Amino acid sequence: MRAARQRRRPIVALESAVFTHGLPVAERLPVAAELEEAARQGGATSAVIALLDGKARVGLSPAQLQQLVTAPQAGKCARGDLGWLLAQRVVAGTTVSATIHIAAAAGIDVVATGGIGGVHRDVAESFDVSPDLIELTRARVVLVCSGAKTIVDLRKTLEFLETHAVPVIGWRTRTLPGFYVRETRLPLRAHADTLAELARAVQSYRATGYAGAIVVANPVPSEDALPEDEVERLIAESLRQAAEQGVHGQAVTPFLLEAMNQRSRGATLRANKALLRGNARLAAQLAVALRRR
Ligand code: PSU
Ligand code: MN
């Protein structure tokens, strides 16, 4: 990472809550290695962002990565937790909101993740809106993702971004991807089919003074995508199971991910890993294209 910076090589920052909370323990190190390799194939150096020993780290050594994924009680750091968790000197994975804040402060232009948080289905009662959406309005990065996490209300999430003038550009798609699903019925107002076109759009946002995030929406690779009705069924069944077992708060997402993975006999995890690799690779290619211009 330091060498890449000194040589001004393209860098892609990676979100780390996926390594502390999003993936089963046995998958974490292998997936981290796969994402590093995907970014390298795309032409960039990857830098995992996480909190270790009271510091916000940008790029981890193999030993630090090991420490992150094996920490028995790793924190999940959103933007609003940052100061507190740093002061506590705990090990924590950073969600999109904290990751893009730290990346922008470090001067990194492109960040990759699986899915952003969003507006929750029960927002009218819960008021649950992910801080990811707020931070996207003010962190100067391009964020490559495959939509939002499956359990949120995608339509409301897209409306929120539109209201706050956060651009969402489809990568070779005209609709918002639905995480495990390639297409939804939610049309996007911008889409790019080539890296040059995408890089040009990013630059024209910057040239007109836009200093927030630009979301690039990259569908899960077709080989590993799931049909929409199947995903809806998996979510409904898993939500019911979570309610029956009284799971709530921060435990809900990991519970649902595991329940869906079991019900789908591994298909959701396969799709999750495939989209993470695809996003790291596209983010790297875009970092290269932005550097060229
Ligand atoms: N997408 C997933 N699973 C996740 C996340 C995204 O499929 O666990 C993580 C990301 O780190 C994202 C965060 O930034 O969830 C949003 O969490 P919340 O809804 O608590 O804001
Ligand atoms: Mn929330």
Side-chain angles (χ1 to χ4, degrees), residues 14-274:
L14 302 177
E15 178 237 318
S16 59
V18 67
F19 299 124
T20 53
H21 293 78
L23 291 168
V25 176
E27 301 285 344
R28 293 173 182 177
L29 279 183
V31 171
E34 285 176 25
L35 299 192
E36 185 179 4
E37 173 59 18
R40 203 192 54 74
Q41 282 174 6
T45 303
S46 58
V48 173
I49 290 183
L51 308 192
L52 287 174
D53 314 318
K55 293 208 171 74
R57 307 268 178 190
V58 180
L60 305 183
S61 68
Q64 288 173 328
L65 189 62
Q66 175 86 29
Q67 193 190 344
L68 179 74
V69 304
T70 56
Q73 299 238 304
K76 179 180 165 189
C77 179
R79 167 80 167 95
D81 307 313
L82 191 52
W84 171 248
L85 293 180
L86 284 172
Q88 295 285 302
R89 310 184 77 82
V90 298
V91 174
T94 49
T95 67
V96 167
S97 65
T99 305
I100 62 178
H101 174 75
I102 294 166
I108 295 176
D109 296 329
V110 188
V111 180
T113 186
I116 59 173
V119 179
H120 282 255
R121 294 177 184 208
D122 65 349
V123 63
E125 293 79 44
S126 69
F127 257 59
D128 194 346
V129 176
S130 172
D132 290 357
L133 301 186
I134 313 296
E135 200 56 29
L136 285 167
T137 69
R138 53 194 182 197
R140 194 181 187 283
V141 294
V142 178
L143 177 72
V144 180
C145 67
S146 299
K149 52 193 208 184
T150 29
I151 50 175
V152 303
D153 184 321
L154 272 187
R155 183 180 298 278
K156 292 192 177 80
T157 300
L158 196 57
E159 285 293 345
F160 186 102
L161 293 173
E162 186 180 316
T163 298
H164 292 274
V166 174
V168 181
I169 304 176
W171 173 249
R172 297 180 176 164
T173 181
R174 309 276 178 126
T175 70
L176 184 68
F179 203 67
Y180 304 124
V181 182
R182 282 181 64 80
E183 300 259 337
T184 63
R185 262 147 280 168
L186 301 170
L188 295 176
R189 299 209 306 263
H191 67 96
D193 293 324
T194 67
L195 285 167
E197 199 179 4
L198 188 54
R200 202 161 63 236
V202 169
Q203 283 192 320
S204 71
Y205 275 109
R206 298 308 179 210
T208 52
Y210 176 65
I214 296 161
V215 176
V216 173
N218 181 29
V220 57
S222 26
E223 317 83 83
D224 296 297
L226 297 175
E228 187 171 11
D229 51 353
E230 184 184 336
V231 172
E232 276 306 316
R233 187 175 52 74
L234 289 168
I235 296 173
E237 290 171 359
S238 304
L239 280 171
R240 206 175 315 126
Q241 191 179 343
E244 278 163 18
Q245 299 185 18
V247 183
H248 50 83
Q250 287 208 334
V252 174
T253 299
F255 179 91
L256 290 177
L257 290 175
E258 184 49 30
M260 290 196 285
N261 189 39
Q262 287 192 5
R263 286 171 191 280
S264 70
R265 280 186 252 100
T268 56
L269 180 59
R270 261 196 309 282
N272 200 346
K273 292 196 286 186

